[in-house]
Amino acid sequence: AAVYDVVGPVCESSDLFGQGRRLPQMKEGDLVAILTTGAYGAVMASAYNARPPAPEVLVKGGQWAVVRPRWSDDELIGLDRIPGWLAPQT
C-alpha cells in the first residue's frame, strides 16, 4: 500500500478527489473506480479547457460497461459553427 493524492486531469487547486488516501500500490495504466465524481459526472460534465468529458462506466459487482464513451475530437467540435460574417471572403 501507499499514500496518494487522487486528483483530476486538469490539476487545479480544487481538482481533488481524495487527499492522503492509503491505496494499493499503483503503476501507470492501472484503473481506479471513483464512485462519486462531482463535476466529472454527466450531470455537470463540460468540455472545460477543451477537454472532453470523461467516459462513464457502470459497475455492478465484477461487471462493468462503458455507458457514455469519451467524445472524439470531431464530436467535441462537431456542433461548432462559423458564422457567415466570419467566413473567408472570396
Side-chain angles (χ1 to χ4, degrees):
V3 176
Y4 295 94
D5 290 343
V6 182
V7 301
V10 179
C11 294
E12 293 188 3
S13 59
S14 62
D15 199 12
L16 185 66
F17 294 111
Q19 191 169 17
R21 302 297 172 113
R22 181 169 290 289
L23 300 168
Q25 187 74 38
M26 290 184 234
K27 63 185 180 317
E28 185 175 338
D30 286 348
L31 299 176
V32 176
I34 300 174
L35 303 182
T36 303
T37 59
Y40 283 98
V43 173
M44 293 180 61
S46 70
Y48 172 73
N49 214 13
R51 295 181 63 88
E56 290 196 51
V57 179
L58 182 63
V59 178
K60 181 179 180 184
Q63 300 177 20
W64 62 273
V66 175
V67 295
R68 182 173 295 194
R70 181 185 304 275
W71 297 345
S72 68
D73 290 341
D74 288 341
E75 290 168 319
L76 179 63
I77 62 171
L79 296 176
D80 291 354
R81 300 292 180 264
I82 298 174
W85 48 268
L86 281 179
Q89 302 299 315
T90 56

